[in-house]
C-alpha cells in the first residue's frame, strides 16, 4: 500500500499547498480521496497519470475538497482515448446530482464535450492517441453513499461512517482495508464517535488539524483533539492535514506534533503536499 498526501492546504489559494486530496495505491488500483483544487496536477507530480485513477471518494462537498473534480474527469477522459475504465465516484449527496450537472447533455461542460467529440481538431487528436470514432463522451458512474460498505474488490474494501463537520453538509470518513494495511481518511470533522469506531486498530489515521482561532467554532479539530481520536481508536500512526501555510511558521509543526503527542503515544506525522507516508 502506498499513501500519498497530495494536498494538505486550506481554502486559501497557495502555490505550495493544494486543496485536500489523498491518493492510496492498493491492490493494483489508485484510489483518490477528495479532489480539492490542484489535486490532478499533484497526482501527476506524484507519478500518477489521471488515467490511472479509477476510483474517487468524496468526504463532503466543500469546494476545497471537490473543485478539481471536473479537471480530473475531463483530463482522464481526454487522455484515455476511449481505452480506460469508467470512473467510479462515491460520496455523500449531492455527488450524483453534481455529476449530472457537470457532465451530462446540457450540463456545465456540455459545450466543451460537444466540441471535443465532434470537431475535427479534437477528433484527429483522439485518433492519434489511439482512439476510434465516433468519440464517446466520458462515463462517470457516481453514487451517493451512506454509512456502511461502499465498494470492494478482491484486494481491498472501503467502508464509511458519519463524520461531523457542518450542519449544512453530509460528511463521511472512509476506511480502506486490505492485506497490505488499513488506513482511515477522516475528512473534515470534529472529534466524534463515528470516526473513532471506524478507525479502530487502523495502521494510519489521516485527520484534519486546525490552528486557532478557527478551532473554537465546532466542526473541526485541533492537534490534541486529533490525537485523542487516534488514542481512543488505538491506531498506530496519525497524520495531521489541512494546515496549509500556517504550519510553516517557525516551530508550528513541532508544536502540532507535540500537542498531538501529549495524548497519543503512536507516531505523529505533520502532513505536507506530496508526502508519502511509509
Amino acid at each position: 500500500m502506498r499513501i500519498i498526501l497530495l494536498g494538505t492546504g486550506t481554502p486559501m489559494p497557495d502555490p505550495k499547498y493544494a486543496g485536500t486530496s489523498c491518493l492510496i495505491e492498493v491492490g493494483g488500483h489508485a484510489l483518490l480521496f477528495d479532489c480539492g483544487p490542484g489535486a490532478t496536477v499533484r497526482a501527476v507530480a506524484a507519478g500518477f497519470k489521471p488515467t490511472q485513477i479509477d476510483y474517487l471518494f468524496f468526504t463532503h462537498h466543500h469546494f476545497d475538497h471537490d473543485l478539481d473534480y471536473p479537471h480530473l474527469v475531463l483530463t482522464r477522459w481526454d487522455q484515455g482515448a476511449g481505452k480506460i475504465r469508467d470512473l467510479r465516484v462515491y460520496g455523500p449527496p449531492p455527488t450524483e446530482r453534481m455529476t449530472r450537472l457537470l457532465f451530462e447533455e446540457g450540463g456545465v461542460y456540455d459545450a466543451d464535450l460537444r466540441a471535443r467529440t465532434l470537431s475535427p481538431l479534437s477528433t484527429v487528436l483522439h485518433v492519434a492517441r489511439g482512439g476510434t470514432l465516433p468519440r464517446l463522451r466520458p462515463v462517470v458512474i457516481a453514487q451517493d453513499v451512506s454509512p456502511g460498505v461502499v465498494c470492494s474488490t478482491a484486494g481491498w474494501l472501503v467502508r464509511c461512517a458519519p463524520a461531523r463537520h457542518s450542519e449544512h453538509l453530509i460528511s463521511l470518513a472512509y476506511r480502506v482495508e486490505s492485506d497490505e494495511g488499513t488506513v482511515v481518511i477522516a475528512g473534515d470533522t470534529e472529534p466524534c464517535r463515528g470516526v473513532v469506531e471506524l478507525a479502530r486498530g487502523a495502521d494510519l489515521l489521516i485527520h484534519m488539524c486546525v490552528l486557532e482561532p478557527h478551532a473554537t467554532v465546532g466542526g473541526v479539530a485541533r492537534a490534541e483533539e486529533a490525537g485523542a481520536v487516534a488514542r481512543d481508536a488505538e491506531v498506530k500512526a496519525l497524520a495531521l492535514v489541512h494546515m496549509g501555510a500556517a504550519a510553516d511558521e517557525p516551530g508550528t509543526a513541532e508544536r502540532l506534533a507535540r500537542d498531538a503527542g501529549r495524548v497519543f503515544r503512536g507516531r505523529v506525522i505533520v502532513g505536507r503536499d506530496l508526502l508519502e507516508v511509509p
Side-chain angles (χ1 to χ4, degrees), residues 7 21 41 45 54-55 60 64 94 102 104 131 138 147 155 158 163 168 179 210 232-233 262 267 269:
S21 188
V41 172
D54 293 327
Y55 295 87
H60 65 290
D64 57 315
L102 286 171
E104 288 189 355
V158 175
H168 302 292
D179 291 339
V210 297
D232 294 347
R262 287 197 183 101
R267 184 182 183 199
I269 301 156

Side-chain angles (χ1 to χ4, degrees), residues 191 205 207-209 221-235 238 240 256-257 259-266 268:
L205 169 64
H207 203 292
M208 80 167 317
C209 171
R222 293 170 296 178
E224 58 267 34
E225 292 173 316
V229 173
R231 176 201 63 203
D232 294 347
E234 299 179 314
V235 303
L238 168 68
L240 303 175
L256 294 175
D259 289 348
R262 287 197 183 101
V263 293
F264 173 60
R265 299 306 179 189
V268 178

Side-chain angles (χ1 to χ4, degrees), residues 234-248:
E234 299 179 314
V235 303
K236 296 178 182 176
L238 168 68
L240 303 175
V241 297
H242 214 304
M243 294 87 65
D248 289 339

Side-chain angles (χ1 to χ4, degrees), residues 144-163:
D144 291 342
V145 298
S146 55
V149 175
V150 176
C151 65
S152 63
T153 71
W156 50 266
L157 177 146
V158 175
R159 65 177 76 246
C160 69

Side-chain angles (χ1 to χ4, degrees), residues 66-272:
D66 68 13
L67 193 61
D68 224 45
Y69 185 26
H71 191 191
L72 173 68
V73 169
L74 296 174
T75 303
R76 181 181 181 278
W77 167 75
D78 194 41
Q79 300 297 313
K83 298 179 179 180
I84 54 175
R85 289 177 285 195
D86 298 337
L87 181 65
R88 295 184 177 273
V89 181
Y90 305 90
T95 298
E96 292 179 10
R97 181 171 180 266
M98 174 185 291
T99 303
R100 290 194 301 269
L101 292 175
L102 286 171
F103 308 118
E104 288 189 355
E105 291 189 15
V108 172
Y109 288 96
D110 184 57
D112 180 277
L113 291 170
R114 285 178 58 82
R116 292 183 189 277
T117 55
L118 299 175
S119 73
L121 173 63
S122 293
T123 55
V124 166
L125 289 174
H126 173 67
V127 172
R129 293 182 181 127
T132 59
L133 299 179
R135 188 180 191 187
L136 303 179
R137 295 166 71 106
V139 176
V140 181
I141 303 173
Q143 181 179 340
D144 291 342
V145 298
S146 55
V149 175
V150 176
C151 65
S152 63
T153 71
W156 50 266
L157 177 146
V158 175
R159 65 177 76 246
C160 69
R164 286 208 305 256
H165 182 44
S166 169
E167 66 272 24
H168 302 292
L169 291 171
I170 300 173
S171 298
L172 298 172
Y174 291 93
R175 178 184 177 107
V176 184
E177 302 175 2
S178 78
D179 291 339
E180 302 173 34
T182 300
V183 59
V184 171
I185 302 94
D188 288 2
T189 183
E190 63 185 48
C192 66
R193 180 53 50 185
V195 174
V196 170
E197 293 303 323
L198 185 73
R200 182 75 61 193
D203 295 298
L204 174 69
L205 169 64
I206 301 172
H207 203 292
M208 80 167 317
C209 171
V210 297
L211 289 78
E212 290 79 7
H214 308 91
T216 61
V217 298
V220 296
R222 293 170 296 178
E224 58 267 34
E225 292 173 316
V229 173
R231 176 201 63 203
D232 294 347
E234 299 179 314
V235 303
K236 296 178 182 176
L238 168 68
L240 303 175
V241 297
H242 214 304
M243 294 87 65
D248 289 339
E249 295 296 322
T252 298
E254 292 80 4
R255 176 173 66 85
L256 294 175
R258 185 171 60 250
D259 289 348
R262 287 197 183 101
V263 293
F264 173 60
R265 299 306 179 189
R267 184 182 183 199
V268 178
I269 301 156
V270 178
R272 290 289 189 273

